[in-house]
Amino acid sequence: MRYCTFALIAVLAAAVNCPAKEYLNGITWKAPPVVTPGENAAAPPSDAIVLFGGKDLSQWNGAERWTVEDGAMIAGKGSVVTKKEFGDCQVHIEWSSPTPPKGNGQGRGNSGLFLNNRYEIQILDSYQNETYHDGQAGAIYKQTPPMANAMRAPGEWNTYDVIWTAPRFNEDGSLQSPAYITAIHNGVVILNHFELKGDTPYDRPPKYTAHPVKGAIRLQDHNNPVRFRNIWVRELTPVQGEQTRDPFLRQGNKEFPIEK
C-alpha cells in the first residue's frame, strides 16, 4: 500500500512539472482598446458618441420642429437624421409612448429607428394594442415580428439596445453581404442576428439597392409626439491580428509544430 501511495505521488508530481502541451495559434493580436463602462447599464461608455444627452438637438438635421422638454426630445413635424454617419454600430435609445394613449393599431405612439437611413426597427405603442405582428414594436418593418412583446405601459420608458451590421455591396452594385440586426428591448432579446431581406418600405417588397457602408440614423415622424432620451452610438471596429507564425504546441520550454 505504501508503494502505491509513493507511486501516485510521483505521478502527480510529474504532471505538475510536465504540463500538457498548450495550443498557440501564432496570431499576434492588437491589444483591445480600454473602454470605461457607464455608471449604469444605460449610461454611455467612454467611447460612445452621444446623439442626445437631454439638452439640445445639435447632433441632428431637420430638428427645427422637434422640441426638448424635461430632458427628452419630442417628435415634431418631419423626421430627423444624424449629422454623423455610421456603419456597423451599437445603438442605445430610450423612448416613451404618449400618455394618455390615443388611437389604435399603427396610429398609436408610432415612430421608427432607421439604420443606414433606410432599415427600420419599429417604434410603436404595442402595450395592449393589437396591430399586424411585423409592424409592432421591435419588428423589422414588414419583414419579421419581434420574438417577444416586451412593451412597458404608455408614459413609461422603453429601451432598445441594437447591434447593427451594415450590408456590403460589390462594385457592380450587387449584394455582397446582407444587413444583420440583434436587438434587446427592455432587457429581452427580440431579434437575434436577423438577416434583413432589404429595406423596409410600406408599399412594396423589400429590396437592396447599393449604398455606402455608412449612413445616417433617422428617427421618424408619424404624427405622434413620441419622446426620446439617452441616445448614444458606439462604432464597431473589427478585432485586429496578424498571423506572424504557423500554429504550434508548447510544453514547458519546448515547441512542437502541428502536422498538417
Side-chain angles (χ1 to χ4, degrees):
M1 178 65 69
R2 181 177 299 177
Y3 173 79
C4 293
T5 301
F6 288 154
L8 177 60
I9 292 173
V11 169
L12 293 175
V16 171
N17 293 327
C18 299
K21 293 177 181 177
E22 176 189 7
Y23 169 73
L24 296 167
N25 58 27
I27 300 174
T28 301
W29 297 106
K30 181 179 179 180
V34 176
V35 175
T36 303
E39 294 181 359
N40 55 64
S46 60
D47 64 343
I49 298 168
V50 177
L51 298 177
F52 179 71
K55 295 182 179 180
D56 63 73
L57 302 174
S58 59
Q59 297 297 316
W60 301 83
N61 287 322
E64 296 80 8
R65 296 186 179 182
W66 287 46
T67 56
V68 176
E69 294 180 11
D70 299 324
M73 58 187 290
I74 304 173
K77 292 295 182 182
S79 297
V80 294
V81 296
T82 55
K83 294 180 178 179
K84 187 175 177 61
E85 296 185 333
F86 304 93
D88 300 346
C89 59
Q90 171 188 353
V91 181
H92 176 93
I93 185 169
E94 298 170 20
W95 57 276
S96 178
S97 299
T99 185
K102 296 180 180 180
N104 54 68
Q106 293 291 301
R108 184 167 139 181
N110 194 327
S111 182
L113 170 65
F114 287 76
L115 291 310
N116 280 105
N117 204 13
R118 68 192 72 202
Y119 307 100
E120 180 186 12
I121 176 171
Q122 175 73 303
I123 290 173
L124 187 79
D125 182 358
S126 292
Y127 183 83
Q128 299 178 358
N129 176 37
E130 288 295 323
T131 188
Y132 46 91
H133 298 311
D134 55 4
Q136 72 181 71
I140 299 301
Y141 191 68
K142 295 288 188 175
Q143 294 193 28
T144 184
M147 293 190 291
N149 181 345
M151 277 293 300
R152 301 190 191 280
E156 297 184 23
W157 286 98
N158 291 276
T159 298
Y160 281 169
D161 287 290
V162 174
I163 310 300
W164 174 251
T165 302
R168 269 69 170 174
F169 298 89
N170 297 309
E171 290 185 3
D172 63 0
S174 60
L175 182 67
Q176 182 184 99
S177 58
Y180 293 93
I181 188 170
T182 295
I184 300 172
H185 183 190
N186 295 330
V188 177
V189 175
I190 58 170
L191 297 166
N192 183 20
H193 199 61
F194 175 75
E195 178 183 326
L196 275 74
K197 302 171 185 176
D199 58 359
T200 52
Y202 172 77
D203 56 354
R204 61 166 172 78
K207 67 177 181 179
Y208 280 107
T209 303
H211 60 80
V213 172
K214 292 190 174 184
I217 292 174
R218 171 160 51 106
L219 296 178
Q220 182 186 41
D221 161 37
H222 205 281
N223 299 315
N224 297 141
V226 178
R227 295 182 297 157
F228 300 91
R229 71 180 185 186
N230 194 22
I231 308 173
W232 50 265
V233 180
R234 292 185 63 248
E235 297 183 279
L236 301 181
T237 303
V239 174
Q240 297 182 31
E242 181 182 359
Q243 191 79 48
T244 54
R245 60 178 295 182
D246 291 335
F248 63 100
L249 297 173
R250 182 172 63 194
Q251 186 177 34
N253 295 325
K254 295 182 179 180
E255 295 183 0
F256 305 87
I258 295 178
E259 297 182 3
K260 297 182 179 180

